[in-house]
Amino acid sequence: MPTDSIAPAEDVSPKADLPPVEELLSTAVEAVGGVERPGQIKMVQAVQHSIQSGDHLAVQAGTGTGKSLAYLIPSIRHAMTSKGAVVVSTATIALQRQLVDRDLPRLSEALAPQLPHEPTYAILKGRRNYLCRYKASAGWPDDEQDQLFDPREVGLTGRMVQRIQEWAQETETGDRDELVPGVNEQAWRQFSVSARECLGATRCPSGMECFAELARARAGESDVVVTNHALLAIDAMEDFPLLPEHEVVVVDEAHELVDRVTSVVTGELSETMVALAARRVGKLIEPHLGDRLVEAGEDLKALLTVAPAGRLDELPEVLGLTLALIRDAAWGCITALGPRMSSDKDDPEGAGLRKAAFTALDEVHDTAQRMLDAFGHAEEVDRAEVVWLEAGTERRPPLLRVAPLTVAGMLRDKLFGDRTVILTSATLALGGAFDGLARQWGLGAKEGGKERSGWTGLDVGSPFDHPRSGILYVAKHLPQPGRDGLPEAYLEEITELIEAAGGRTLGLFSSMRAAKAATEALRDRLSVPLLCQGDDSTMLLVKQFSEDEPTCLFGTLSLWQGVDVPGPSLRLVIIDRIPFPRPDDPLSSARQRHVAAKGGNGFMSVAATHAALLLAQGAGRLLRSQHDKGVVAVLDPRLATARYAGFLRDSLPPFWPTNDPAKVREALRRLSAS
């Protein structure tokens, strides 16, 4: 079971002749001009202990702790004499770039005199993120060539394709993220392949200069490899390794691990995907076999177009027959293609087209089979996956999705099974305990009477004095939020709070509709500039918000976790309601029901845990530096009155709490005047 303290263990490994982590930390902190913090020292010792003992570690480290140094230093120390790299996985591109462009260069230079060699590092992404030299030069047909697009979009995509072609002549890495501004998926797909579509370095004419292979080679020679949760999941789940050999994984932004892994293993099926598979197999097989697949896809389209969106608890007979037709037609095409590996090494273009056809057909066949297998269980506890229909849009047809009800078993067996994993974030101890997320990761005390892998939970605290720097205000006097938009009382409350703060407000709303409605209603009432997510790129809006003190910014999900604005530009964070998942969310509702069927509390395990994570992330936007002060205002009175309110409040930073609106407005006015 988790404990809340760890004593540093005596180092008896071959690395004992290296400086201890405490000494390396002092060197690094001095080099970057920082100050060692108690939480940082505690964390660096805990990570070192975890690496030595082989036990997994979940460590919560508040903003400002310096957690990157705290996990990088023991990781580098371990990599010095181990046979493989240490893998650091993050959820966001921003943190990947921070590690590779800022933290690791400074750290490597600072530690080099005390280590056997200067630490090396590399960033590694999924193959889809790198330009494929062969596909760019071979003139493969566009997968979307037969589809109709808005002429303006066709022109825009054409210009993006031209930009990619010009960039391909000068890039040294082939990394899509180098393209600024970015390009859409339709354009990029014409220059990239997935791991399953790739011919392999030995068979591809461009194999010796392949950007993805070069990135893998650099990673294989590095002490630290920075990647993302999606690639980490694929590497763990697939039979072929994508990451270099490693014994230790650090999962930063670990609160997002379950969602990212779920996204990787979620399958989807639509008429468009079936048609794509049929086009890819094209002239490679007898026409009537491809026609069968096209017809089955058209049957699926006719069904999905008229069916109501939402979760499917039972499989309609006609849908079951259609999925079986798609599965069998795809299998007929796969069989007709013959051997997967062509014996003709002199025809790489033909081999590439066959590989692409197999990839598309396998996805259609396997997803249809998964969807059929998701039904027919006698008891709810026996169900493993959930299927739902997602309504179409102007740009996308309706589609079926299938996702696992839990990824705990996958993570336990594939990620935690044969390596040491350190999970860290500013938000892991929900309700004051690590158990909720640990269960989702597949970690725990016992299962079936057998002891699982050991793990420890540790909260190293925060360098911020939360009770003195921030107020948690819950508007207990307001009515409970309804489904018909923001009540007038909420709009009045927001207006009074923003006026008291002199602007300087980040408004976090549970939906884009609510954010836009609040913006429209309040622009005429407020004398300060008011921006809304969607007015421009989020990056530019946040920049404008941070540079112009009176400005307010309203938005939804990406702002809950993606805003870092230290200083006087942010004094007030407003949260309109507790961010529970929507009651009709197919995956969340199915997971709640599944937990309840197994005897657990579905609401607390799924909905309340989801809300606690987002609340903590949203409240964490307020204090980003030692000198920040302000208010987190939650307008939803349930945070004060509901039976689950204590769990949610215990997940938040320990701000000074109040329900008194007059005290809060006075505090904001004092801050505004200071």
Side-chain angles (χ1 to χ4, degrees):
M1 291 296 289
T3 60
D4 60 2
S5 65
I6 299 177
E10 182 182 356
D11 193 344
V12 294
S13 71
K15 294 180 276 298
D17 57 335
L18 297 178
V21 289
E22 295 87 350
E23 182 179 331
L24 294 175
L25 177 62
S26 295
T27 299
V29 170
E30 182 179 354
V32 300
V35 178
E36 287 187 54
R37 302 179 178 97
Q40 189 180 45
I41 296 171
K42 194 174 183 181
M43 180 174 173
V44 79
Q45 292 172 340
V47 174
Q48 175 72 358
H49 179 275
S50 177
I51 291 173
Q52 292 170 3
S53 67
D55 286 346
H56 308 305
L57 171 68
V59 55
Q60 178 168 283
T63 302
T65 301
K67 62 183 172 68
S68 296
L69 284 183
Y71 66 67
L72 286 174
I73 286 171
S75 297
I76 288 172
R77 188 178 187 276
H78 172 74
M80 285 292 109
T81 56
S82 67
K83 60 181 179 180
V86 171
V87 171
V88 176
S89 176
T90 77
T92 62
I93 293 174
L95 183 53
Q96 289 178 42
R97 295 256 61 101
Q98 176 186 315
L99 289 171
V100 173
D101 296 340
R102 191 189 73 181
D103 295 347
L104 281 165
R106 294 194 297 180
L107 185 58
S108 295
E109 183 179 359
L111 298 185
Q114 294 179 271
L115 298 174
H117 63 262
E118 182 170 340
T120 56
Y121 51 89
I123 189 168
L124 186 61
K125 305 174 184 178
R127 191 171 290 269
R128 271 283 189 199
N129 291 278
Y130 299 98
L131 180 132
C132 173
R133 289 186 186 272
Y134 179 60
K135 189 171 184 179
S137 63
W140 287 1
D142 180 7
D143 288 338
E144 311 289 350
Q145 61 185 355
D146 296 331
Q147 296 194 41
L148 297 177
F149 290 97
D150 184 315
R152 291 170 297 180
E153 290 195 23
V154 172
L156 177 63
T157 298
R159 291 192 293 274
M160 289 181 177
V161 167
Q162 185 175 357
R163 279 184 51 223
I164 297 172
Q165 290 171 332
E166 294 170 353
W167 168 77
Q169 303 304 313
E170 58 188 40
T171 178
E172 296 181 0
T173 67
D175 187 338
R176 178 180 180 176
D177 290 331
E178 282 186 1
L179 272 167
V180 179
V183 297
N184 64 28
E185 194 61 29
Q186 184 193 350
W188 182 252
R189 211 165 27 231
Q190 298 179 45
F191 297 87
S192 66
V193 296
S194 68
R196 292 181 179 275
E197 293 170 320
C198 177
L199 289 174
T202 59
R203 297 174 59 84
C204 178
S206 301
M208 295 298 292
E209 53 183 4
C210 171
F211 288 122
E213 291 297 327
L214 291 172
R216 284 192 67 195
R218 286 192 296 271
E221 297 171 353
S222 301
D223 297 313
V224 177
V225 177
V226 179
T227 187
N228 56 66
H229 294 351
L231 187 62
L232 181 69
I234 295 169
D235 178 74
M237 308 298 172
E238 297 287 358
D239 295 331
F240 47 88
L242 301 175
L243 295 169
E245 187 175 356
H246 58 283
E247 301 169 340
V248 176
V249 176
V250 178
V251 181
D252 204 342
E253 301 173 305
H255 61 279
E256 293 202 44
L257 179 62
V258 168
D259 285 346
R260 299 300 173 111
V261 173
T262 299
S263 179
V264 166
V265 297
T266 294
E268 60 181 51
L269 190 64
S270 68
E271 183 269 341
T272 302
M273 293 179 59
V274 178
L276 169 61
R279 279 201 306 278
R280 283 189 173 182
V281 79
K283 300 176 182 179
L284 301 176
I285 61 173
E286 292 294 327
H288 73 276
L289 294 172
D291 291 343
R292 281 181 56 202
L293 186 58
V294 171
E295 291 168 4
E298 291 173 347
D299 290 345
L300 180 68
K301 179 181 180 181
L303 276 178
L304 301 188
T305 300
V306 299
R311 193 181 72 210
L312 297 176
D313 292 330
E314 302 293 336
L315 179 64
E317 182 178 1
V318 65
L319 178 57
L321 291 172
T322 303
L323 289 173
L325 281 173
I326 291 172
R327 176 199 61 193
D328 295 343
W331 183 251
C333 294
I334 291 170
T335 303
L337 274 173
R340 289 183 177 261
M341 297 298 293
S342 171
S343 59
D344 187 359
K345 295 185 178 180
D346 297 326
D347 182 22
E349 183 173 349
L353 294 175
R354 285 172 55 82
K355 196 77 179 287
F358 272 122
T359 300
L361 290 167
D362 285 341
E363 185 174 5
V364 167
H365 173 274
D366 295 351
T367 303
Q369 185 63 59
R370 276 181 69 184
M371 291 175 175
L372 291 168
D373 291 342
F375 300 96
H377 301 287
E379 302 290 340
E380 173 62 31
V381 292
D382 298 323
R383 192 190 297 262
E385 300 204 288
V386 58
V387 177
W388 70 94
L389 172 59
E390 193 169 292
T393 66
E394 291 183 2
R395 300 187 178 189
R396 180 184 55 74
L399 55 84
L400 287 172
R401 292 188 186 274
V402 57
L405 288 167
T406 175
V407 295
M410 296 181 199
L411 289 173
R412 181 178 64 247
D413 297 338
K414 301 293 188 178
L415 178 61
F416 296 101
D418 56 0
R419 55 180 64 85
T420 302
V421 183
I422 293 101
L423 306 111
T424 185
S425 168
T427 310
L428 293 181
L430 304 179
F434 292 87
D435 296 0
L437 286 180
R439 282 193 294 269
Q440 294 185 13
W441 297 328
L443 299 176
K446 291 184 179 180
E447 183 180 70
K450 295 182 179 179
E451 199 73 18
R452 288 185 188 168
S453 300
W455 71 279
T456 301
L458 175 68
D459 183 354
V460 300
S462 167
F464 301 154
D465 188 346
H466 285 92
R468 290 180 176 272
S469 301
I471 296 173
L472 173 63
Y473 164 55
V474 181
K476 188 178 179 180
H477 62 284
L478 291 179
Q480 286 196 17
R483 296 187 178 182
D484 301 325
L486 290 172
E488 177 61 26
Y490 278 51
L491 295 174
E492 291 177 359
E493 185 81 21
I494 294 172
T495 301
E496 292 174 355
L497 288 169
I498 291 177
E499 287 177 341
R504 305 172 182 182
T505 299
L506 177 66
L508 302 177
F509 293 83
S510 54
S511 69
M512 200 65 239
R513 185 179 68 173
K516 289 181 176 179
T519 303
E520 185 176 339
L522 295 176
R523 270 185 173 148
D524 292 337
R525 305 189 191 190
L526 295 170
S527 59
V528 295
L530 179 52
L531 308 175
C532 184
Q533 194 174 1
D535 291 347
D536 205 332
S537 75
T538 300
M539 181 177 68
L540 290 176
L541 290 173
V542 172
K543 184 174 185 291
Q544 185 176 344
F545 171 61
S546 64
E547 292 177 351
D548 184 24
E549 282 190 24
T551 297
C552 301
L553 174 60
F554 288 1
T556 186
L557 191 59
S558 62
L559 298 186
W560 286 72
Q561 304 183 75
V563 175
D564 186 10
V565 180
S569 291
L570 178 53
R571 295 300 196 198
L572 172 63
V573 174
I574 294 177
I575 297 174
D576 71 326
R577 64 190 298 162
I578 298 171
F580 291 119
R582 289 170 54 95
D584 59 354
D585 178 84
L587 182 55
S588 175
S589 60
R591 284 177 166 173
Q592 288 188 59
R593 184 181 63 178
H594 189 67
V595 171
K598 296 173 72 173
N601 187 323
F603 172 79
M604 293 301 295
S605 295
V606 180
T609 295
H610 176 275
L613 261 178
L614 273 181
L615 271 178
Q617 287 287 310
R621 299 310 95 200
L622 181 66
L623 304 184
R624 309 303 295 176
S625 74
Q626 293 279 3
H627 304 294
D628 290 347
K629 295 181 183 295
V631 172
V632 174
V634 181
L635 307 185
D636 191 335
R638 293 176 295 177
L639 191 60
T641 60
R643 55 181 172 78
Y644 49 79
F647 171 79
L648 297 179
R649 290 196 303 270
D650 287 344
S651 304
L652 298 175
F655 298 118
W656 183 78
T658 184
N659 304 127
D660 188 335
K663 287 183 178 179
V664 170
R665 290 195 294 269
E666 179 57 32
L668 287 170
R669 280 191 285 266
R670 287 198 303 270
L671 274 177
S672 179
S674 63

